[in-house]
Amino acid sequence: MRGEWWKNGLQLNLRIEPIGLALAVIYAFACWGARQVSLDQFYLPAGIRVAAVLLCPPRLWPYLILGEYAYFAQLRYPMVDKYGKAWVIFASAFLMPIVALIVHLHRKMIAATTNVWLISVAASSAVAISLLNRSFSQFLWPTPPDNAFVATVARYAVGDFIGILTVAPLALLWVRRRSESDWAAGFLKPTGMALGLMMLLGVSAAFLPADSATARTSLQVLMALPAIALTCILGWRGAAIAVPVLNLIIGLTTPKPYPSSFDPHAFTTQLIMAITGVALLVLGSRITYYYHHYKIRDDGEKNAIKLARNSHVASEMGLRERALDLRKIGDGMDISLNEVVNWLKLQGHHEIAGGLLHTAVVHSRQFRAQTSMVYPTALDHLGLYVALQAGGVREAWELTHRVTRPRLEGDPCQLSIGLQLAAYRAMTDAVTLLLETESGQIQVRARCGRFGRYRGIVVTVALLDAAYALSETTMSMAVERLAGRALAYGGVVQCRRNRVRMVLLEMPRTDPHDAAHSSPVEYVKTTDRGSSQALT
């Protein structure tokens, strides 16, 4: 019965994992080794403690407690006669649980994008552990220490905080090594240069004479410069590497005649470096945060441009199929009319046949011109310029008596079919717009070529009278109608005085039918001198 547990007793299932025991042993040896190179003002076991909690899942935390208790057992057992069993037991049993609790309370912040929570964990752990250690010494030692309580806690807290900032960022870097797939790109070169410069400055400071404290401090402070540079380049990951190395070099080069020794000059430098480390971690987190959001927005813009470009190409392919169908219909009509004309001639109706043939030729030419307006099939094989000069667009422009002969330069066949189609539509739309809203003669110019790493085309549709400026309505309508195609190819639409200027760009490639490339608008905003100078 459930109510008779007090008679039957309780059954506890204790499962011991071999990996946990191995972890406890490794943790105990890590703390022992870290203590050998530590000072009270540079206490690495505090960093090992926080790093272990960050690296291990909560189910393994009890083994970390076991490992720390084993470490303290071999360290403090010889001190039983001097400080008492109560201090050895209680002062060794509560430090790891307190740190585990602090990390557990920060679990919601740990899931955040920025890593400022690490500073909160480091500060909270350093203060809490220092308070516990000093309180246990005050109340459990047979003879309490006579030094000031607050000053001792502050000194120990700074040493623990520096130790945590030396080890914990590296653990965080390891935990989040797979959080972003492209973070390793360009990682080794700046990291190697920054760490090499920091080590050079640190070693130079260590070999200075003992009476050169000012020069040593200056060299140690200068180590912050490559750390700042690495943080600016790599964000929080740069800070997670630079700050530990910065603290480690200063800590290892600090004179230590005995473990509890204190060097006031090195301590001042370490205070400065601790503040610098905090600033670098915060700066790196913010850099990474804004870079992450910028990357998301940039990827969204690229995807939107790619979708717009693919949409334009798909619509053009639909128009191409329609134009081919219309051409087949026109060919069928021509064949039928020729048969009728031939039959009339056989019947002796030569005048009627001649008139019908003349009418058929005129209408057939007009039908084919309108078909080419639906889709310029000549562009697929002969390029943009031939499509402009031999298609229905040329006849339509000539009928207006307002469009002069286009000035076309460069080789459009070096561009993709998608970009040529976009330029064709943009050019015809711009001419149509100026014909509808403005008066006077219109000049069309186009130039294909290279601009930096990109290939592209500059199209200018302008009023022949340079003294006559486009109206605000025309400029607004030009941007609304033409910007979509230009932006889909990394270009821009500009309205200046008497002209509308459009630039479309793409990366050069081996397959001219591939239209899925993007180009930065910055390349086309630097030049506004007409089509003859925009591309070379």
Side-chain angles (χ1 to χ4, degrees):
M1 299 293 293
R2 294 183 179 178
E4 297 181 356
W5 61 269
W6 56 278
K7 294 181 180 179
N8 301 328
L10 296 174
Q11 182 179 359
L12 298 177
N13 293 324
L14 182 61
R15 180 182 179 183
I16 299 178
E17 301 182 32
I19 188 175
L21 296 177
L23 177 64
V25 174
I26 293 173
Y27 175 76
F29 275 101
C31 289
W32 176 83
R35 181 173 174 78
Q36 305 309 309
V37 294
S38 296
L39 298 170
D40 287 344
Q41 65 192 67
F42 177 66
Y43 196 66
L44 286 178
I48 298 293
R49 184 181 297 119
V50 174
V53 175
L54 293 176
L55 288 172
C56 298
R59 65 181 178 83
L60 296 179
W61 288 356
Y63 296 100
L64 295 178
I65 297 175
L66 177 64
E68 179 156 287
Y69 203 78
Y71 157 69
F72 278 126
Q74 63 85 27
L75 179 67
R76 294 179 174 177
Y77 180 75
M79 304 178 183
V80 172
D81 295 336
K82 182 177 181 181
Y83 298 111
K85 293 182 180 179
W87 176 79
V88 172
I89 294 174
F90 288 102
S92 305
F94 291 96
L95 303 186
M96 176 60 78
I98 288 297
V99 172
L101 177 62
I102 290 174
V103 174
H104 178 71
L105 294 176
H106 285 78
R107 64 190 184 279
K108 292 183 178 179
M109 296 176 62
I110 291 176
T113 304
T114 60
N115 299 302
V116 182
W117 58 266
L118 183 62
I119 299 173
S120 177
V121 169
S124 303
S125 300
V127 172
I129 297 302
S130 300
L131 279 173
L132 281 176
N133 282 329
R134 188 61 177 82
S135 299
F136 284 133
S137 301
Q138 184 72 31
F139 294 108
L140 297 181
W141 281 8
T143 304
D146 55 356
N147 46 8
F149 184 88
V150 176
T152 305
V153 170
R155 177 175 163 183
Y156 286 170
V158 172
D160 287 359
F161 183 76
I162 294 174
I164 294 172
L165 288 187
T166 304
V167 182
L170 298 175
L172 181 62
L173 186 67
W174 175 259
V175 169
R176 297 194 172 178
R177 65 191 183 279
R178 296 194 181 112
S179 60
E180 297 177 12
S181 58
D182 59 343
W183 71 273
F187 175 79
L188 293 178
K189 185 175 180 180
T191 302
M193 293 177 62
L195 296 186
L197 184 57
M198 291 169 64
M199 293 180 63
L200 179 62
L201 292 172
V203 171
S204 301
F207 282 98
L208 287 176
D211 56 350
S212 303
T214 303
R216 182 186 298 110
T217 302
S218 300
L219 288 177
Q220 290 175 337
V221 172
L222 283 177
M223 288 192 298
L225 296 180
I228 294 172
L230 190 61
T231 301
C232 294
I233 295 173
L234 299 179
W236 77 266
R237 288 184 171 85
I241 295 174
V243 171
V245 173
L246 191 64
N247 292 329
L248 193 62
I249 292 175
I250 295 177
L252 294 180
T253 56
T254 300
K256 38 184 171 292
Y258 51 90
S260 60
S261 62
F262 181 76
D263 185 349
H265 296 290
F267 186 68
T268 302
T269 304
Q270 286 178 321
L271 282 177
I272 298 174
M273 292 299 102
I275 297 173
T276 304
V278 171
L280 288 178
L281 287 172
V282 174
L283 174 63
S285 296
R286 301 313 297 175
I287 290 175
T288 303
Y289 174 79
Y290 286 113
Y291 172 77
H292 179 69
H293 282 267
Y294 165 78
K295 189 174 185 299
I296 292 177
R297 185 179 65 180
D298 186 59
D299 290 343
E301 291 178 354
K302 289 181 178 179
N303 289 333
I305 290 175
K306 182 178 179 180
L307 291 174
R309 186 178 302 181
N310 292 338
S311 176
H312 289 160
V313 173
S315 63
E316 292 291 350
M317 292 303 100
L319 293 175
R320 183 177 184 273
E321 294 299 325
R322 187 173 301 175
L324 293 176
D325 291 340
L326 290 175
R327 175 169 291 185
K328 291 179 181 178
I329 294 174
D331 293 340
M333 293 173 59
D334 290 344
I335 293 173
S336 299
L337 286 173
N338 286 332
E339 291 178 354
V340 172
V341 169
N342 292 333
W343 183 83
L344 289 174
K345 288 181 178 180
L346 290 176
Q347 298 299 322
H349 305 292
H350 295 283
E351 294 182 2
I352 298 176
L356 181 60
L357 180 61
H358 176 74
T359 304
V361 170
V362 173
H363 285 85
S364 176
R365 185 176 67 250
Q366 294 177 348
F367 182 83
R368 293 181 183 278
Q370 292 299 318
T371 301
S372 68
M373 296 284 285
V374 175
Y375 182 86
T377 54
L379 186 147
D380 292 345
H381 308 288
L382 303 175
L384 171 64
Y385 292 169
V386 175
L388 288 172
Q389 294 174 335
V393 172
R394 179 185 61 83
E395 296 184 6
W397 288 354
E398 288 180 352
L399 291 175
T400 63
H401 303 290
R402 291 180 54 194
V403 182
T404 63
R405 184 179 181 83
R407 295 173 56 185
L408 309 174
E409 302 178 31
D411 183 10
C413 295
Q414 298 296 324
L415 308 176
S416 67
I417 296 297
L419 189 144
Q420 293 185 63
L421 285 171
Y424 176 86
R425 298 300 182 188
M427 193 181 306
T428 55
D429 289 347
V431 172
T432 302
L433 177 62
L434 265 62
L435 289 173
E436 293 175 353
T437 59
E438 302 292 338
S439 60
Q441 297 294 105
I442 298 174
Q443 174 70 57
V444 177
R445 292 182 296 176
R447 181 180 178 86
C448 301
R450 297 182 64 92
F451 195 97
R453 297 182 297 114
Y454 299 90
R455 289 189 182 276
I457 182 171
V458 177
V459 176
T460 303
V461 180
L463 298 176
L464 198 58
D465 187 0
Y468 187 83
L470 299 178
S471 65
E472 294 294 333
T473 302
T474 301
M475 292 183 180
S476 177
M477 293 175 64
V479 173
E480 292 176 358
R481 294 186 184 183
L482 307 175
R485 297 185 185 277
L487 292 176
Y489 283 89
V492 67
V493 176
Q494 297 173 334
C495 296
R496 297 288 187 272
R497 296 186 297 277
N498 66 322
R499 66 181 182 271
V500 177
R501 179 174 173 268
M502 297 164 287
V503 182
L504 292 85
L505 296 174
E506 65 181 358
M507 290 292 293
R509 53 199 173 278
T510 56
D511 183 7
H513 295 278
D514 182 14
H517 291 81
S518 60
S519 309
V521 179
E522 285 77 5
Y523 275 95
V524 300
K525 288 185 177 179
T526 57
T527 303
D528 186 20
R529 300 180 181 177
S531 60
S532 61
Q533 299 180 10
L535 296 175
T536 59

